[in-house]
């Protein structure tokens, strides 16, 4: 029953897509422009968090460097879609092919993902031999190198100034399609042979090695797919904003995306998306409050900065109360899909840990 | 002469990074916690010098007190902040895995930064204290900043004091035992809270010292001033070998030296990207010696 099998594998992705589609439909029918914009931003963040999840969830290595991939994707799409006269004037360092030709936005987004993934493979081969915190620091170092290079590579990135005039691409349904692709790719990967091997290595590296699992291959594949999704997400983000600068991809972005992943639960796709939706809602709420709420005769408003304080507090509380994420373990581990084959998500090791604590 | 000058710069910058790295390494050794919020302790120390307000000009508050009282108060404030962070955020997570704690410290850092932004505003503020330290003295034919000399001296003193404390005092021996094997140390009757408290208190003293030097040297306050420092300190700890205190100090001096020599050796066009080259060197060192220069045997997983 290949079809039933496929549906069972994709079930969490389908749930995610259905819920998000419902949200988009509701906003489409009733929302104002402002709400629509926030929704599109949330969808793009979802893409980014799914990209982050593909690496963190499958390898157990916390990445502090994924903002680098988002940055690379965003700049790449700028090189391929910025109006030609602007490009010739501002980016003399680009090859002449790019000076004379542009790509349609969706193609450009894919190419950006491809470039990002290729870079990830090149740096991943030496870097992913490292484990644990050393690997996290290495990803941070990669981020620093990327951010500093991009803010000094004036001939193609305009240095620290912003690139403006990117063509817009922010129809909610179109972006939802990208989220759907990312979710499906993430699920297909984590239920594939190589994905399962990567997860085995995540749970117990020594045991995985002893049964002949190639740890580097699993990590590298996760890294590449993660970078691909992040690169596409970064490109979408660039077209959403219409203007990009290296500052937009700072450690704050790393923090917010990481917060979304951790609050939701970094071990399942549904958790990652749930965290993104929750934090986006909170951010939106705080943003409205910062702008001020009309309470009959007076306007209440929070001072600027409350947004970030709110996110940090929520994240800390979540770590203290539910370190494994907001979703119940049963759902996060997807054990309801096929009880007889608990290969997906949860592992014997997790269960053993729960019993001992 | 030029080489000697560069050497002095390297030692002075290295001292700064060594102090940061030691503060991070001390806590990592015991709790396996990479304390990202350490840099924000430095920021707290710096901002405590001025009156809390969002206005663009900074008005001295504690910074205007006579210097022994000022030093004492700032050290006390930062130490209290370090202990408070431990109590509120890290103690409940003590049993969590290192990654969860790392993310929690990231959240604490983000929280402190935005709390400062909230209270003091986002604009960097100019602040002028310790002007008498900015004069140069001639020393064997070389002109050196008095501040640099003081920095190297204070660092040397702190390193010796902390080294002696860890080596000979009862509490220091507890701390070293705990970073060797925390559970065994507790079984032998050492209180976990005491040891961790001591480590956080020392890291607070180190952070406060750095606040002074950074403020006097740059004359600027900004709510994210701790971030580049903690990144470098972080990197220094990892290069030196996570969990090894001597390694952290060596790593700090190494990162300082690499930064200064890159500054001296890189051609003008690449100098703006100096830190990118420093981080490239970091990646190289990590690849060659993933466990750091001084590997700690208790950190490797045994089967």
């Amino acid at each position: 029953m290949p079809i039933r099998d496929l549906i069972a594998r994709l079930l969490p992705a389908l749930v995610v897509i259905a819920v998000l589609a419902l949200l988009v439909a509701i906003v489409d029918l009733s929302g104002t422009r402002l709400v629509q914009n926030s929704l599109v931003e949330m969808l793009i963040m979802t893409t980014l968090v799914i990209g982050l999840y593909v690496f963190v969830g499958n390898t157990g290595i916390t990445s502090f460097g994924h903002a680098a991939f988002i940055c690379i994707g965003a700049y790449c799409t700028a090189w391929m879609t910025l109006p030609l006269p602007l490009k010739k004037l501002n980016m003399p360092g680009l090859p002449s092919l790019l000076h004379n030709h542009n790509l349609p936005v969706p193609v450009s987004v894919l190419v950006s993902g491809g470039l990002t993934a290729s870079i990830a493979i090149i740096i991943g081969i030496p870097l992913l031999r490292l484990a644990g915190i050393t690997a996290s620091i290495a990803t941070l170092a990669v981020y620093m190198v990327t951010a500093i290079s991009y803010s000094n590579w004036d001939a193609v990135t305009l240095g620290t100034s912003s690139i403006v005039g990117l063509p817009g691409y922010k129809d909610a349904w179109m972006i939802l399609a990208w989220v759907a692709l990312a979710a499906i790719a993430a699920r297909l990967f984590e239920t594939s042979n190589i994905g399962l091997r990567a997860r085995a290595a995540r749970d117990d590296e020594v045991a995985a090695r002893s049964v002949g699992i190639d740890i580097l291959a699993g990590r590298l594949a996760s890294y590449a797919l993660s970078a691909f999704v992040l690169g596409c997400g970064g490109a979408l983000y660039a077209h959403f904003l219409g203007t990009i600068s290296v500052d937009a991809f700072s450690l704050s972005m790393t923090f917010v995306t990481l917060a979304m992943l951790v609050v939701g639960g970094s071990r399942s796709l549904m958790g990652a998306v749930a965290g993104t939706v929750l934090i986006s809602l909170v951010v939106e709420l705080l943003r409205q409050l910062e702008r001020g709420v009309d309470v009959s005769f007076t306007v209440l408003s929070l001072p600027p900065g409350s947004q970030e304080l709110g996110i940090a507090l929520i994240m800390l509380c979540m770590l203290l109360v539910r370190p494994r994420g907001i979703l119940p373990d049963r759902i996060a581990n997807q054990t309801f899909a096929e009880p007889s084959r608990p290969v997906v998500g949860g592992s014997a090791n997790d269960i053993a840990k729960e019993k001992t604590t | 002469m030029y080489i000697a000058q560069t050497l002095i710069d390297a030692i002075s910058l290295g001292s700064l990074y060594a102090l940061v790295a030691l503060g991070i390494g001390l806590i990592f050794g015991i709790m396996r916690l990479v304390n990202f919020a350490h840099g924000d302790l430095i920021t707290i120390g710096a901002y405590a010098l001025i009156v809390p307000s969002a206005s663009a000009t900074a008005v001295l508050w504690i910074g205007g007190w006579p210097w022994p009282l000022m030093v004492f108060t700032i050290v006390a404030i930062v130490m209290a902040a370090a202990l408070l962070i431990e109590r509120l955020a890290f103690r409940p997570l003590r049993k969590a895995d290192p990654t969860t704690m790392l993310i929690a410290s990231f959240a604490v850092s983000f929280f402190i930064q935005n709390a400062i932004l909230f209270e003091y505003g986002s604009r960097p503020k100019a602040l002028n204290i310790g002007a008498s330290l900015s004069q140069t003295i001639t020393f064997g034919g070389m002109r050196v900043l008095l501040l640099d000399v003081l920095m190297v001296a204070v660092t040397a003193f702190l390193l010796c004091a902390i080294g002696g404390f860890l080596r000979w005092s009862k509490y220091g021996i507890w701390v070293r035992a705990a970073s060797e094997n925390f559970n065994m140390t507790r079984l032998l009757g050492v209180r976990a809270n005491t040891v961790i408290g001591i480590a956080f208190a020392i890291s607070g003293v180190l952070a406060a010292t750095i606040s002074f030097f950074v403020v006097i040297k740059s004359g600027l306050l900004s709510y994210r001033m701790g971030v580049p420092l903690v990144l470098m300190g972080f990197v220094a700890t990892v290069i030196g070998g996570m969990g090894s205190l001597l390694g952290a100090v060596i790593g700090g001096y190494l990162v300082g030296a690499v930064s200064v020599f890159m500054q001296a050796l890189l051609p003008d066009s690449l100098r703006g990207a100096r830190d990118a080259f420093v981080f490239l060197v970091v990646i190289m060192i990590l690849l060659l010696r993933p466990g750091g220069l001084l590997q700690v045997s208790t950190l490797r997983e045994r089967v």
Side-chain angles (χ1 to χ4, degrees):
Chain A
M1 302 168 283
I3 296 285
R4 266 197 66 188
D5 200 36
L6 192 68
I7 291 179
R9 282 173 70 181
L10 290 182
L11 192 59
L14 299 178
V15 172
V16 161
I17 297 167
V19 172
L20 291 177
L22 196 66
L23 265 177
V24 174
I26 293 171
V27 172
D28 213 19
L29 290 176
S30 60
T32 59
R33 234 186 122 79
L34 205 68
V35 180
Q36 252 162 13
N37 249 348
S38 310
L39 179 76
V40 171
E41 193 172 4
M42 185 193 87
L43 289 174
I44 293 174
M45 289 313 266
T46 311
T47 320
L48 295 176
V49 175
I50 290 176
L52 179 60
Y53 158 74
V54 169
F55 180 66
V56 178
N58 290 324
T59 64
I61 299 172
T62 309
S63 160
F64 287 106
H66 49 277
F69 294 145
I70 303 174
C71 177
I72 292 173
Y75 273 89
C76 183
T77 196
W79 296 332
M80 292 182 299
T81 59
L82 206 64
L84 292 174
L86 263 179
K87 213 156 53 170
K88 271 188 193 143
L89 187 70
N90 288 332
M91 305 175 175
L94 286 180
S96 61
L97 184 70
L98 285 176
H99 274 160
N100 298 317
H101 300 278
N102 265 346
L103 290 174
V105 172
V107 183
S108 167
V109 169
L110 281 177
V111 175
S112 304
L115 174 81
T116 316
S118 332
I119 293 176
I121 291 175
I122 296 169
I123 56 179
I125 289 173
L127 227 57
L128 293 174
R129 291 169 200 283
L130 304 172
I133 283 184
T134 319
S136 300
I137 302 288
T139 61
L140 185 68
V142 168
Y143 165 74
M144 293 306 290
V145 173
T146 313
I148 298 167
S149 316
Y150 269 58
S151 29
N152 283 284
W153 194 9
D154 296 357
V156 297
T157 65
L158 304 186
T160 44
S161 27
S162 312
I163 296 178
V164 290
L166 271 82
Y169 181 79
K170 44 180 161 182
D171 178 63
W173 289 103
M174 293 299 262
I175 306 287
L176 179 68
W178 286 98
V179 177
L181 284 179
I184 289 172
R187 270 308 284 179
L188 283 181
F189 177 75
E190 72 189 22
T191 51
S192 70
N193 263 334
I194 191 154
L196 287 174
R197 285 194 203 123
R199 293 192 150 226
R202 171 198 77 183
D203 287 336
D204 193 330
E205 193 175 328
V206 179
R209 209 187 284 277
S210 74
V211 292
I213 288 177
D214 183 347
I215 291 176
L216 183 63
R219 278 190 192 155
L220 198 60
S222 317
Y223 203 49
L225 181 61
S226 162
F228 186 84
V229 177
L230 285 166
C232 292
L236 291 174
Y237 199 50
H239 289 294
F240 167 72
L241 294 174
T243 158
I244 53 170
S245 67
V246 179
D247 280 348
F249 312 102
S250 62
L251 280 177
S252 307
M253 175 158 225
T254 305
F255 174 77
V256 172
T257 42
L258 211 53
M260 290 171 167
L261 183 64
V262 171
V263 165
S266 62
R267 289 178 163 230
S268 71
L269 178 69
M270 289 205 289
V273 175
T276 315
V277 173
L278 181 74
I279 298 247
S280 298
L281 286 178
V282 173
V283 168
E284 189 52 34
L285 191 72
L286 291 169
R287 205 184 274 168
Q288 297 290 347
L289 288 177
E290 270 183 22
R291 212 175 281 134
V293 188
D294 230 348
V295 191
S296 61
F297 50 87
T298 170
V299 177
L300 285 178
S301 67
L302 293 175
S306 4
Q307 240 184 84
E308 287 78 9
L309 278 181
I311 300 176
L313 268 184
I314 289 176
M315 187 166 169
L316 268 176
C317 294
M318 284 308 302
L319 284 174
L320 295 179
V321 182
R322 287 194 68 87
R324 295 163 67 86
I326 41 172
L327 288 189
D329 278 353
R330 197 175 61 85
I331 295 181
N333 290 338
Q334 292 131 23
T335 37
F336 63 91
E338 279 197 29
S340 55
R341 249 180 50 187
V343 284
V344 187
S347 70
N349 197 17
D350 289 342
I351 296 162
K353 258 187 209 156
E354 262 159 32
K355 276 190 183 148
T356 49
T357 49
Chain B
M1 198 49 57
Y2 180 66
I3 295 175
Q5 195 69 55
T6 312
L7 213 59
I8 288 177
D9 288 347
I11 294 174
S12 122
L13 189 64
S15 304
L16 203 64
Y17 290 158
L19 290 181
V20 185
L22 187 59
I24 295 172
L26 203 59
I27 287 168
F28 181 84
I30 296 173
M31 295 181 71
R32 300 290 172 266
L33 158 69
V34 179
N35 188 8
F36 221 91
H38 189 74
D40 303 291
L41 291 177
I42 300 172
T43 317
I44 289 178
Y47 269 91
L49 291 166
I50 63 170
V51 179
S53 84
S55 69
T57 47
V59 181
L60 283 182
W61 179 41
I62 299 176
W65 297 0
W67 74 264
L69 188 64
M70 171 179 86
V71 171
F72 178 80
T73 319
I74 296 291
V75 168
I77 288 176
V78 177
M79 204 194 259
L83 291 172
L84 195 68
I85 292 172
E86 192 274 324
R87 181 68 194 85
L88 293 181
F90 297 138
R91 191 174 295 182
L93 283 174
R94 212 173 271 171
K95 288 211 179 73
D97 62 309
T99 312
T100 309
M101 288 199 287
L102 175 56
I103 296 173
S105 80
F106 219 65
V108 171
S109 157
F110 203 68
F111 183 83
I112 297 177
Q113 279 171 29
N114 285 290
I116 290 175
L117 176 78
F118 211 78
E119 189 58 41
Y120 292 85
S122 63
R123 274 170 300 186
K125 300 176 192 230
L127 177 66
N128 195 5
I129 62 164
S132 57
L133 292 173
S134 307
Q135 56 185 319
T136 53
I137 51 170
T138 316
F139 180 75
M142 274 176 307
R143 293 162 57 78
V144 286
L145 264 181
L146 191 57
L147 179 66
D148 283 340
V149 179
L150 188 71
M151 214 152 100
V152 174
V154 170
T155 306
F157 168 74
L158 276 176
L159 292 183
C160 292
I162 292 175
F165 172 77
L166 292 176
R167 186 102 182 75
W168 289 299
S169 81
K170 181 174 82 176
Y171 299 104
I173 292 171
W174 286 0
V175 170
R176 278 193 297 138
S179 58
E180 192 82 12
N181 189 336
F182 191 58
N183 285 331
M184 190 64 202
T185 313
R186 291 185 69 186
L187 288 177
L188 291 173
V190 172
R191 285 202 159 285
N193 289 344
T194 315
V195 180
I196 291 175
I198 293 171
F200 270 92
I202 298 178
S203 88
V205 175
L206 291 169
T209 315
I210 300 160
S211 329
F212 285 118
F213 288 138
V214 172
V215 171
I216 297 174
K217 188 142 199 174
S218 70
L220 271 183
L221 294 179
S222 102
Y223 73 104
R224 307 199 55 195
M225 62 191 286
V227 175
L229 285 167
V230 82
L231 284 181
M232 286 298 187
F234 215 14
V235 158
T237 331
V238 176
I239 289 181
M242 297 238 56
S244 157
L245 296 183
L246 182 63
V249 173
I250 295 176
Y253 278 105
L254 193 69
V255 173
V258 171
S259 304
V260 170
F261 287 119
M262 285 288 180
Q263 180 83 23
L265 295 176
L266 284 177
D268 277 344
S269 55
L270 288 179
R271 207 163 280 172
R274 182 196 73 183
D275 285 350
F277 289 90
V278 176
F279 279 100
L280 276 180
V281 173
V282 167
I283 294 176
M284 302 293 272
I285 296 180
L286 287 183
L287 290 177
L288 293 176
R289 284 189 70 86
L293 297 175
L294 301 181
Q295 249 157 10
V296 177
S297 57
T298 47
L299 274 184
R300 216 170 305 133
E301 192 184 351
R302 294 211 189 98
V303 184

